[in-house]
Amino acid sequence: MSDAVIISSRIRLARNLRDYPFPNRMTDNERQEVAQKVKDLMCNGDFCGYKFLAVSMEDLSEIERVSMVERNLISMEFASPQKGKLLITTEDEKISIMVGEEDHLRIQVILKSFDIEKAYEIADKLDTELDKYLHFAFDKRLGFLTQCPTNLGTGMRASVMMHLPALRESRTVSRIANNLSKLGLIIRGAYGEDSDPAGDMYQISNQVTLGISEKSAIDNLKSITEQLVNSELKTREKMMESVEYQDKIGRSYGILITARIISYKEAQKLLSNLRTGICDGIIDSVELHTVDKLMQMIKPANIMKIKGRKLDFSERDKVRAELIREELKFR
C-alpha cells in the first residue's frame, strides 16, 4: 500500500467493566477506583510484553492535554482535568488506553502506514488479557456493552488516515462520502466528526459495530481503502500533467523555506502540496517523513509545548515559520 496516500492505521476498542455503572452514572470515587485498578494491572512491570506509563489528566496543563489531542492520542472530550481520567500509554505512543472517557476503557493502537491487521492483533491481545482481570460487560446477544448504543457489538472502530489532496481538489470527496455511508463506512477530518480536513488529511472508518465481526469490518475497510488509494493516485497523475499544478507545488516549497510568519491553516495546505510533490518526484530535496513530522509539530498546542509556554497567535505564527525552516534545512 502506497505511503504516498496512507499515513497510519488505527484500532480502537470501547470496553466497560461489568461491576461498575457506565461513566455518566459513576461517582468520582468509582472513577478513581476503576482508574487505579487499570493502573495497578498495567503499570507494574511488563503487561503483554509492553511497558506502560500512566498520566492523570489532573496533573497536566491545558497545553499538554490539547497537545495530546493534536497527536491523536486522546479525544477532545477526554482533555479535561476531571477526577479518574487516566491515560495509560507506551513511550512511543503507539498503544494508549483512555480510562474514564465515554466508556471505562478506550483501547487504541496506532501504527504507521497501512497495517490495520497488525494493529488489531495488538489491540485484541490487550483486550483479552485485560478482560481476564477486569471482566468486561458482555451480552451474548448484543456483544460488548457500551454507553453509546452505536458502539454495541464489537465496540471496535477501525480507521485509516489518508492524504487525499487530489480527490479534494477534484471535489469528489463528498460523492465518495455518500457512497461510503451505504457500505457502513464514514470519511471525515483527522479529528473525527465535523472536523476540518487540515492538510487534506482524511480518516476513513467503520460505522457498524453490531451484527458484524471484527474480521468482516476490517476486510471491508481494507477493500475500500485500496480503492481510494487507486483513485487518489490516478487523479494525481492527471493533475501532475498540468504545469500550473506543478508550479503550485514549487511555489509552496518556496514559501515554506523563506516565510518568517505563517498561520497554521496556510502551513498545512502548503505542506500538503509539498508532500504531494515529494511523492510524485517534483521535489527531491525533502524526505516524506520530514513533512509528516512537521504536520504534527506545527499544530498550535504542540508549538507551545515545544516552547514551554503560552503563545498568542502572532507569536505562534513566527515560531511555526522558524520550525519549518529549521526542519527543511533552510537558513
Side-chain angles (χ1 to χ4, degrees):
M1 191 59 61
S2 176
D3 288 342
V5 180
I6 306 292
I7 305 298
S8 62
S9 306
R10 184 186 75 165
I11 292 289
R12 192 204 71 198
L13 301 175
R15 298 290 186 262
N16 290 281
L17 280 61
R18 70 188 182 199
D19 297 328
Y20 291 85
F22 287 131
N24 66 343
R25 303 289 299 275
M26 293 175 80
T27 64
D28 283 345
N29 285 340
E30 286 173 327
R31 290 177 186 277
Q32 290 174 306
E33 191 175 317
V34 168
Q36 192 62 49
K37 278 189 174 186
V38 180
K39 181 180 178 180
D40 290 345
L41 177 61
M42 299 188 72
C43 298
N44 291 323
D46 284 2
F47 184 80
C48 287
Y50 300 96
K51 284 194 178 296
F52 288 95
L53 311 168
V55 182
S56 171
M57 291 297 105
E58 289 184 283
D59 297 336
L60 299 178
S61 68
E62 182 183 3
I63 290 173
E64 289 172 318
R65 295 194 304 272
V66 177
S67 173
M68 287 179 171
V69 175
E70 291 179 347
R71 303 199 305 275
N72 293 302
L73 192 59
I74 64 173
S75 64
M76 185 57 79
E77 293 74 20
F78 193 72
S80 62
Q82 187 176 10
K83 288 184 182 298
K85 283 191 174 182
L86 189 70
L87 178 70
I88 295 177
T89 179
T90 52
E91 191 172 355
D92 62 9
E93 300 184 349
K94 288 180 180 177
I95 305 172
S96 61
I97 296 92
M98 285 183 283
V99 184
E101 205 233 22
E102 183 179 79
D103 294 287
H104 294 153
L105 273 71
R106 287 288 174 94
I107 303 164
Q108 178 173 270
V109 179
I110 300 179
L111 300 180
K112 295 291 185 184
S113 195
F114 194 48
D115 210 352
I116 196 73
E117 289 173 325
K118 179 64 177 177
Y120 174 73
E121 181 185 322
I122 295 170
D124 185 52
K125 181 180 178 182
L126 288 167
D127 179 37
T128 301
E129 197 66 17
L130 286 166
D131 190 28
K132 286 181 185 178
Y133 300 95
L134 301 176
H135 311 299
F136 295 144
F138 185 84
D139 180 88
K140 289 183 179 179
R141 183 172 61 90
L142 296 174
F144 288 101
L145 303 181
T146 55
Q147 182 164 290
C148 180
T150 59
N151 289 320
L152 278 172
T154 62
M156 183 189 80
R157 287 283 187 266
S159 62
V160 179
M161 192 73 73
M162 309 181 74
H163 183 221
L164 303 175
L167 292 180
R168 188 182 192 190
E169 184 85 12
S170 60
R171 301 185 179 182
T172 57
V173 173
S174 58
R175 175 177 56 80
I176 290 170
N178 290 333
N179 292 334
L180 288 179
S181 65
K182 300 170 187 174
L183 300 171
L185 297 166
I186 187 170
I187 186 168
R188 49 198 175 181
Y191 297 106
E193 199 167 352
D194 298 324
S195 66
D196 181 57
D200 302 317
M201 295 293 178
Y202 291 86
Q203 183 180 190
I204 176 173
S205 60
N206 66 299
Q207 275 188 303
V208 179
T209 60
L210 187 61
I212 185 172
S213 68
E214 290 93 338
K215 184 180 184 306
S216 295
I218 289 171
D219 286 346
N220 189 30
L221 178 64
K222 282 182 64 180
S223 174
I224 298 301
T225 298
E226 288 167 1
Q227 292 179 47
L228 280 173
V229 168
N230 291 333
S231 181
E232 169 67 22
L233 293 178
K234 286 180 181 177
T235 308
R236 281 192 202 181
E237 190 176 349
K238 290 180 182 177
M239 284 185 169
M240 285 301 169
E241 294 173 0
S242 163
V243 174
E244 288 78 12
Y245 196 74
Q246 295 175 30
D247 183 67
K248 180 166 74 171
I249 289 169
R251 286 174 182 271
S252 297
Y253 183 37
I255 294 170
L256 288 166
I257 63 175
T258 57
R260 263 49 185 175
I261 298 174
I262 192 166
S263 70
Y264 171 65
K265 186 174 181 180
E266 181 186 13
Q268 286 288 62
K269 184 58 185 173
L270 296 177
L271 285 168
S272 174
N273 293 341
L274 178 59
R275 191 180 199 280
T276 307
I278 293 168
C279 294
D280 288 277
I282 294 175
I283 304 291
D284 60 8
S285 55
V286 182
E287 296 196 14
L288 198 58
H289 72 84
T290 301
V291 177
D292 291 343
K293 176 185 174 183
L294 272 171
M295 289 179 116
Q296 282 291 332
M297 183 189 294
I298 65 167
K299 293 174 181 178
N302 281 338
I303 284 178
M304 291 188 285
K305 186 173 182 291
I306 290 169
K307 288 297 180 180
R309 62 186 178 88
K310 280 197 171 185
L311 302 170
D312 63 26
F313 283 102
S314 62
E315 289 175 311
R316 289 202 300 266
D317 289 352
K318 290 175 185 176
V319 173
R320 183 177 293 111
E322 180 185 332
L323 289 172
I324 291 171
R325 293 198 314 275
E326 175 66 26
E327 287 296 318
L328 296 180
K329 304 302 179 188
F330 182 84
R331 302 293 186 272

